[in-house]
Amino acid sequence: KQEVTQIPAALSVPEGENLVLNCSFTDSAIYNLQWFRQDPGKGLTSLLLIQSSQREQTSGRLNASLDKSSGRSTLYIAASQPGDSATYLCAGGGSEKLVFGKGTKLTVNP
Amino acid sequence: EPEVTQTPSHQVTQMGQEVILRCVPISNHLYFYWYRQILGQKVEFLVSFYNNEISEKSEIFDDQFSVERPDGSNFTLKIRSTKLEDSAMYFCASSELLAGGLGTQYFGPGTRLLVL
């Protein structure tokens, strides 16, 4: 049974800092890995999808990597801004179903 | 940009009542999903739907739940007899099939269900 863990649970950084969010999963037979952003009381915004044959994806200031052998994914955010403050969720799955972590709550202070 | 829409945004119901949550997936997507998030907890998978049938479901998705694609655009989740513990945010999602496999799952804004 796939389990996804995210560390740290919360992170507070000053504006402009580069940061890394971590995600680990128990089953290396992961089909794909998706990173989301969730603002309080809102839906999930997809940030990046890494398919099983890929190792990383980039979108703007975001870069996500996937290492299936070690059961880890990281989300790198460059030059963080106050607007990046949100909860970041990692989700992976063996097929259609996504298994979510609890998220990392990021606060970027001006 | 195409997006998944959900109605209603909020629903309050009495325990034992039936509710239907509605979703309009992105038009060229073939896979549809329902997830839920109880306040303060992880997002949990309920069911996936492809080619007019359920393709995968979780333990949560028992006989009280059903899904339907009544026409070419809507996708619904019905809870037959709601319980207090069904109170949660329910998210609909959809994805397309790419050459390398399933694509990004795009989520709707959610329906907040409160069972009293």
Side-chain angles (χ1 to χ4, degrees):
Chain A
K1 181 184 172 185
Q2 181 73 270
E3 304 228 349
V4 177
T5 304
Q6 292 187 247
I7 296 172
L11 183 63
S12 181
V13 299
E15 182 176 2
E17 192 158 298
N18 302 326
L19 58 102
V20 175
L21 306 182
N22 296 295
C23 171
S24 61
F25 44 91
T26 53
D27 186 353
S28 62
I30 199 162
Y31 188 77
N32 57 28
L33 194 292
Q34 207 167 332
W35 281 92
F36 295 87
R37 169 190 173 132
Q38 186 174 32
D39 293 283
K42 303 287 187 183
L44 282 71
T45 301
S46 179
L47 299 173
L48 290 164
L49 167 72
I50 309 176
Q51 292 185 298
S52 60
S53 58
Q54 300 170 327
R55 293 186 70 89
E56 68 176 325
Q57 283 289 327
T58 297
S59 175
R61 295 183 292 108
L62 305 180
N63 175 275
S65 66
L66 174 63
D67 184 344
K68 292 170 65 176
S69 61
S70 67
R72 290 182 186 175
S73 176
T74 59
L75 178 67
Y76 175 82
I77 302 177
S80 57
Q81 302 169 358
D84 294 332
S85 297
T87 296
Y88 289 80
L89 302 175
C90 162
S95 57
E96 296 145 37
K97 161 187 172 180
L98 284 178
V99 177
F100 281 79
K102 247 195 138 172
T104 294
K105 184 175 180 181
L106 173 66
T107 303
V108 181
N109 301 300
Chain B
E1 184 173 320
E3 57 184 18
V4 177
T5 60
Q6 290 185 243
T7 54
S9 58
H10 293 79
Q11 175 128 17
V12 180
T13 191
Q14 295 291 323
M15 191 170 56
Q17 295 295 303
E18 174 184 287
V19 295
I20 298 176
L21 309 183
R22 292 183 166 79
C23 167
V24 179
I26 295 172
S27 62
N28 64 331
H29 286 185
L30 299 177
Y31 284 83
F32 315 119
Y33 315 84
W34 285 101
Y35 291 82
R36 77 173 186 190
Q37 186 177 32
I38 295 170
L39 193 62
Q41 298 188 23
K42 294 183 181 184
V43 176
E44 302 173 289
F45 169 82
L46 293 178
V47 65
S48 59
F49 191 86
Y50 170 72
N51 200 25
N52 281 321
E53 60 183 28
I54 291 173
S55 51
E56 191 170 352
K57 62 182 181 179
S58 72
E59 305 163 340
I60 304 167
F61 194 88
D62 61 21
D63 292 345
Q64 291 301 310
F65 291 87
S66 62
V67 289
E68 194 179 30
R69 187 149 163 86
D71 54 44
S73 58
N74 290 284
F75 180 51
T76 62
L77 174 70
K78 183 193 291 187
I79 310 175
R80 286 193 185 82
S81 178
T82 49
K83 305 181 194 125
L84 296 176
E85 54 265 36
D86 293 327
S87 295
M89 180 77 99
Y90 287 80
F91 294 109
C92 174
S94 68
S95 65
E96 57 183 332
L97 188 58
L98 304 175
L102 284 174
T104 298
Q105 289 192 25
Y106 292 94
F107 280 64
T111 292
R112 186 168 295 284
L113 176 66
L114 178 60
V115 182
L116 301 176

